[in-house]
Amino acid sequence: MNHYSGSIPNTLNHGREWLQHAVCKADPDAMHPGNDESGIAYAKRIWAACPVRMVCLQDALRTGDNDHGIRGALKPSERRAVAQRLNPDQYTNADAVTDAVQAVLHPATAERTLRDLWEERAYELPGGHLGWRGDAGALSFQGRAYTPKRIAFLLHRGYDPVGIVRRTCPVVECVHPLHVADNRERWQQQQTEPGKPEQVAAQGGRKLAECGTTSAYQRHVRNKEFIDDACRAANAAAQARYARTGSTKAVG
Ligand code: SF4
Ligand SMILES: [Zn+2]
Ligand SMILES: [Zn+2]
């Protein structure tokens, strides 16, 4: 049990230098509004300007200071809810704490998926391309940074890209998932481009099978690569042949 003394947060047992930056130093009583709604709103406004609010909230979680006063913009009941969502070893992880706060204060937002975000923001452009409404730069979603192209890749491929996701079509604002590629796909693309002797040599003299063949399909599966439509179709056709004839070979 940790009682407020009517002063700034009681953190005697912990490093205190962050308290020098506490906004509530100027108005300690404001952080203890009791159940007064306008007082709570005021405390939350002060918090919004407080540069150490995360440290302060983490300190409150760590010390179990969840019975009195506003800390890190949260009422005691909200801090208890945040604490319940976390393992004690996550109290020092600002991203985990941010996610838990988000889930407690805005449950609807927290349940939003990347797919929802995609559906809100992506729109059709002429010529089969897709644009992105609003700022096309990096955006933060549930504590993680994404670019629209990264979201496109992730939702379509179903796994994290390797390195940077770049556009492969000529339309500058395009985020179409089939018009973007990560480092691995770009590398793969280079390998299958004909007329690059040094790369053929690097493959041990063997040229990689082109997309749209069952060998290419199998290579994608082996290397856990993105499987394009042409290769999917080649594999489906081979499976169908096998079902019919007992052989996957196109001839014979
Ligand atoms: S978050 Fe609130 S209680 Fe904590 S230091 Fe900042 S103003 Fe004070
Ligand atoms: Zn495009
Ligand atoms: Zn392929």
Side-chain angles (χ1 to χ4, degrees), residues 9 18-19 22-24 31 46-47 50 52-53 56 70-73:
W18 62 271
L19 279 174
V23 170
C24 57
M31 290 299 124
I46 290 193
W47 163 85
C50 179
V52 293
R53 60 202 178 192
C56 179
I70 300 286
R71 289 191 60 182

Side-chain angles (χ1 to χ4, degrees), residues 214 233-243 247-249:
T214 48
N235 179 60
Q239 294 302 317
R241 272 196 303 277
Y242 181 76
S247 163
T248 57
K249 292 273 183 294

Side-chain angles (χ1 to χ4, degrees), residues 81-97:
V82 166
Q84 264 172 23
R85 291 187 152 262
L86 298 165
N87 298 320
D89 63 342
Q90 291 178 301
Y91 293 165
T92 50
N93 177 339
D95 284 342
V97 173

Side-chain angles (χ1 to χ4, degrees), residues 113-114 117 132 135-152 154-155 160-161:
T113 61
L114 270 184
L117 183 65
W132 185 260
D135 188 359
L139 51 102
S140 168
F141 185 77
Q142 290 172 18
R144 287 184 65 180
Y146 296 91
T147 64
K149 293 188 193 74
R150 197 175 181 84
I151 296 174
L154 202 61
L155 291 177
D160 279 321

Side-chain angles (χ1 to χ4, degrees), residues 8 15-16 23 26 71 88 101 107 109 157 171 199 213 245 249:
I8 53 177
R16 313 193 71 204
V23 170
R71 289 191 60 182
V101 169
T109 322
R157 314 291 200 272
V171 176
Q199 280 162 3
T213 62
T245 67
K249 292 273 183 294

Side-chain angles (χ1 to χ4, degrees), residues 89-212:
D89 63 342
Q90 291 178 301
Y91 293 165
T92 50
N93 177 339
D95 284 342
V97 173
T98 303
D99 284 350
V101 169
Q102 191 71 7
V104 166
L105 295 183
H106 310 289
T109 322
E111 277 155 27
R112 242 160 55 102
T113 61
L114 270 184
R115 175 74 61 187
D116 297 332
L117 183 65
W118 171 262
E119 272 156 20
E120 277 165 35
R121 306 283 289 273
Y123 67 96
E124 282 178 35
L125 288 170
H129 303 277
L130 291 176
W132 185 260
R133 281 188 198 90
D135 188 359
L139 51 102
S140 168
F141 185 77
Q142 290 172 18
R144 287 184 65 180
Y146 296 91
T147 64
K149 293 188 193 74
R150 197 175 181 84
I151 296 174
F153 185 100
L154 202 61
L155 291 177
H156 180 262
R157 314 291 200 272
Y159 51 75
D160 279 321
V162 176
I164 302 171
V165 180
R166 290 189 211 281
R167 184 170 44 83
T168 55
C169 83
V171 176
V172 175
E173 63 268 47
C174 185
V175 297
H176 194 298
L178 292 178
H179 302 179
V180 298
D182 68 349
N183 288 4
R184 183 163 50 192
E185 288 178 7
R186 277 195 299 279
W187 182 85
Q188 193 63 44
Q189 190 57 40
Q190 279 170 14
Q191 304 308 300
T192 55
E193 269 170 28
K196 294 203 169 168
E198 69 283 6
Q199 280 162 3
V200 173
Q203 295 293 325
R206 268 186 320 121
K207 212 166 154 283
L208 290 173
E210 281 182 32
C211 279

Side-chain angles (χ1 to χ4, degrees), residues 29-62:
D29 292 338
M31 290 299 124
H32 311 106
N35 289 323
D36 166 14
E37 280 301 322
S38 71
I40 289 172
Y42 176 63
K44 289 195 169 190
R45 273 203 304 284
I46 290 193
W47 163 85
C50 179
V52 293
R53 60 202 178 192
M54 177 50 74
V55 192
C56 179
L57 175 57
Q58 289 175 317
D59 185 82
L61 291 169
R62 223 172 39 227

